[in-house]
């Protein structure tokens, strides 16, 4: 992948769930390199099967690819932001897995929206017609516009962008006007326009608009909540309160979440229990139903971020093998788990144990959470220890995986040696 090998100290800090800016930078570079490789793999697949791809879909894909390359020559940071947006990864995973045929042609149209977003964020004039197969124009990380047409023409000047359904050059007035395109940012307004909701105090957003926000299948980890059913004020308040709580509990971890979590995707609740998930193809996205209270949001962000970190690391440095049918019992799930599930669960719960140990001894956090955190630490500490024994006794880990698990074990032991003040 042309990525500089991860130094052993950085691997150890990641294994110990320590907030580490250098480690995040490395994982971000690895993610971008992998995203470029997957895009190239998609291009190769399109060319290999070009005779089977509908000619119009092929032409639009190649035109959009050229547009991305053109913007990248002048505004590479903008293109990187768009390509590394979590839903781009989910789309890529779906396109690479889809059999060649009408479904594949339909997925290829997404590159239109990606290229248009990069070009708009890059600034400058643009005159482009893009496909809108569902009657929706979706710009990743920006927003969504219903157009009730199979295509729409986008015309952009220096500061204003106009949308003409059907791609007609002499259509009615603009459906939407964009303004504030400085620094690669776009904000919009207009009839029917829905903006991706920014979360306060950072660069993260609440995305309840993107068609790939819950995976290419539209629901592989649960049902994504729709924009019209989302209480954006409640999500912003919960996010702000969680960030404040994390800063008072563990400033380093608060900074890590502010930097690494790009997208929160609201999920429709299933019963009274909270739901949280990540997509391995979309690191940086946390999918969750609205957690109960600031502590619930803080715990969800820490837990799911570590799933994302581990998934990105495993793509770069394989930590375990594949294809084994062996499953293992863990304390936090009723169903037996394969070795990948044991490692992921142990890692995410180790990060929570670290958070709970700090919360239980922090005077700056609410007393109710101090007490609850102390109990949660006691409950999970032994469960993580048992899972680490499974990992270290397994022959399914790679050499790097064993070293990673051993570093986790050392951190786990250090947490247990810290007295708790849960009263």
């Amino acid at each position: 992948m042309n990525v500089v090998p991860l130094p052993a100290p950085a691997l150890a800090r990641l294994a110990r769930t320590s907030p580490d800016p250098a480690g995040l930078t490395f994982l971000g570079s690895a993610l971008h390199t992998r995203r470029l490789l997957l895009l190239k793999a998609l291009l190769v697949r399109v060319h290999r099967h070009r005779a089977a791809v509908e000619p119009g879909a092929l032409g639009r894909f190649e035109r959009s690819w050229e547009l991305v390359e053109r913007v990248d020559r002048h505004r590479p940071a903008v293109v990187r932001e768009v390509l590394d947006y979590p839903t781009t990864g989910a789309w890529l995973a779906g396109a690479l897995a889809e059999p060649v045929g009408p479904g594949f042609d339909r997925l290829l149209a997404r590159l239109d929206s990606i290229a248009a977003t990069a070009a708009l964020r890059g600034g400058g004039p643009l005159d482009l017609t893009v496909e809108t197969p569902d009657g929706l124009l979706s710009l990743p990380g920006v927003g969504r516009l219903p157009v009730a047409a199979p295509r729409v023409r986008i015309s952009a000047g220096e500061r204003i962008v106009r949308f003409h359904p059907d791609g007609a050059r002499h259509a009615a007035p603009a459906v939407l006007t964009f303004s504030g395109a400085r620094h690669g940012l776009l904000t919009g307004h207009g009839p029917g326009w829905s903006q991706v909701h920014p979360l306060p105090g950072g660069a993260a957003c609440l995305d309840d608009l993107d068609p790939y926000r819950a995976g290419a299948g539209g629901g592989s980890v649960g049902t994504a909540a729709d924009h019209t059913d989302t209480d954006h004020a409640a999500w912003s308040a919960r996010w702000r309160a969680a960030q404040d709580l994390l800063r008072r509990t563990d400033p380093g971890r608060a900074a890590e979440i502010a930097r690494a979590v790009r997208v929160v995707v609201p999920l429709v609740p299933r019963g009274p229990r909270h739901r949280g998930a990540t997509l391995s193809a979309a690191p940086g996205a946390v999918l969750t139903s609205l957690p109960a209270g600031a502590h619930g949001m803080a715990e969800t962000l820490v837990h799911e971020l570590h799933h994302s970190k581990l998934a990105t690391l495993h793509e770069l440095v394989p930590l375990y093998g594949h294809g084994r049918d062996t499953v293992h019992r863990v304390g936090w799930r009723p169903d037996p788990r394969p070795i990948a599930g044991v490692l992921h669960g142990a890692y995410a719960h180790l990060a929570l144990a670290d958070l709970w140990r700090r919360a239980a001894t922090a005077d700056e956090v609410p007393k109710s959470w101090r007490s609850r955190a102390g109990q949660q630490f006691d409950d999970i500490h032994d469960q993580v220890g048992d899972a680490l024994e499974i990992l270290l006794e397994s022959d399914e880990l790679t050499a790097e995986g064993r070293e990673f698990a051993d570093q986790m074990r050392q951190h786990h032991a250090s947490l247990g040696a810290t007295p708790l003040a849960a009263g």
Side-chain angles (χ1 to χ4, degrees):
M1 291 174 59
N2 298 322
V3 177
V4 177
L6 182 64
L11 183 68
R13 287 193 295 271
L14 284 170
R16 292 167 180 259
T17 76
S18 303
D20 179 27
L24 277 186
T25 298
F26 179 86
L27 292 180
S29 296
L31 168 66
H32 182 64
T33 301
R34 178 165 176 77
R35 196 64 51 87
L36 294 178
L37 286 173
L38 292 177
L39 277 167
K40 185 64 179 291
L42 181 60
L43 178 65
V44 169
R45 188 171 187 229
V46 169
H47 285 173
R48 181 180 297 133
H49 299 286
R50 61 184 305 121
V53 177
E54 193 274 322
L58 178 63
R60 289 187 295 271
F61 179 85
E62 292 179 334
R63 178 206 62 196
S64 294
W65 187 280
E66 291 172 359
L67 177 57
V68 171
E69 288 185 326
R70 188 160 65 248
V71 177
D72 187 56
R73 285 193 288 270
H74 303 287
R75 299 292 301 277
V78 166
V79 171
R80 177 170 180 162
E81 282 286 311
V82 177
L83 295 185
D84 290 357
Y85 192 70
T87 61
T88 302
W91 161 71
L92 265 173
L96 288 168
E98 182 71 20
V100 174
F104 183 64
D105 295 347
R106 186 181 181 86
L107 282 165
L108 292 182
R110 175 65 171 183
L111 191 62
D112 275 0
S113 297
I114 291 171
T117 303
L120 291 174
R121 290 188 56 182
L126 180 69
D127 195 330
L128 177 71
T129 298
V130 302
E131 293 294 299
T132 52
D134 296 314
L136 289 171
L137 176 66
S138 173
L139 302 180
V142 180
R144 184 179 73 187
L145 179 72
V147 295
R151 62 193 61 85
V152 61
R153 174 174 164 249
I154 304 172
S155 58
E158 184 176 349
R159 295 183 60 84
I160 302 297
V161 185
R162 302 182 189 279
F163 298 88
H164 309 271
D166 296 317
R169 292 185 173 276
H170 304 291
V175 176
L176 174 69
T177 300
F178 268 131
S179 62
R182 297 180 302 166
H183 309 300
L185 300 176
L186 294 168
T187 57
H189 62 275
W193 173 254
S194 298
Q195 184 83 21
V196 168
H197 182 74
L199 291 167
C205 66
L206 186 75
D207 195 337
D208 50 11
L209 298 168
D210 197 291
Y212 296 95
R213 62 192 184 276
S220 59
V221 293
T223 303
D226 188 71
H227 180 77
T228 55
D229 299 323
T230 304
D231 186 340
H232 296 95
W235 279 93
S236 289
R238 199 65 46 84
W239 170 270
R240 184 186 294 109
Q243 292 295 310
D244 178 66
L245 187 61
L246 285 169
R247 281 191 292 269
R248 288 183 281 140
T249 307
D250 187 347
R253 205 170 292 284
E256 178 182 58
I257 286 173
R259 181 179 174 188
V261 176
R262 293 191 60 182
V263 175
V264 175
V265 176
L267 294 179
V268 175
R270 288 184 183 173
R273 295 191 62 183
H274 164 257
R275 288 180 54 79
T278 54
L279 294 168
S280 60
V286 171
L287 296 82
T288 177
S289 55
L290 185 62
H295 65 274
M297 175 66 90
E299 292 164 2
T300 297
L301 293 172
V302 170
H303 185 272
E304 301 303 338
L305 173 60
H306 282 78
H307 281 304
S308 270
K309 288 165 63 176
L310 190 62
T312 303
L313 179 63
H314 176 67
E315 292 289 351
L316 176 68
V317 182
L319 302 174
Y320 50 86
H322 295 279
R324 297 283 290 275
D325 296 328
T326 307
V327 292
H328 311 271
R329 292 284 180 182
V330 292
W332 54 83
R333 296 258 320 217
D335 53 328
R337 308 294 292 155
I339 202 68
V342 177
L343 180 59
H344 265 276
Y347 188 58
H349 283 94
L350 181 61
L352 281 178
D354 185 289
L355 176 70
W356 287 328
R357 191 265 297 169
R358 294 173 188 272
T361 58
D363 294 333
E364 297 82 3
V365 305
K367 184 177 180 180
S368 60
W369 193 43
R370 289 206 310 270
S371 178
R372 180 176 177 271
Q375 183 60 57
Q376 288 175 304
F377 176 88
D378 288 341
D379 290 344
I380 202 65
H381 187 266
D382 289 345
Q383 294 178 11
V384 172
D386 292 342
L388 287 170
E389 285 188 18
I390 292 172
L391 291 168
L392 290 168
E393 292 173 1
S394 172
D395 62 355
E396 298 175 79
L397 297 183
T398 63
E400 293 81 5
R402 290 189 63 79
E403 174 60 25
F404 193 82
D406 185 61
Q407 292 290 341
M408 289 172 61
R409 179 193 59 77
Q410 293 181 44
H411 185 53
H412 175 263
S414 73
L415 293 180
T418 302
L420 295 182

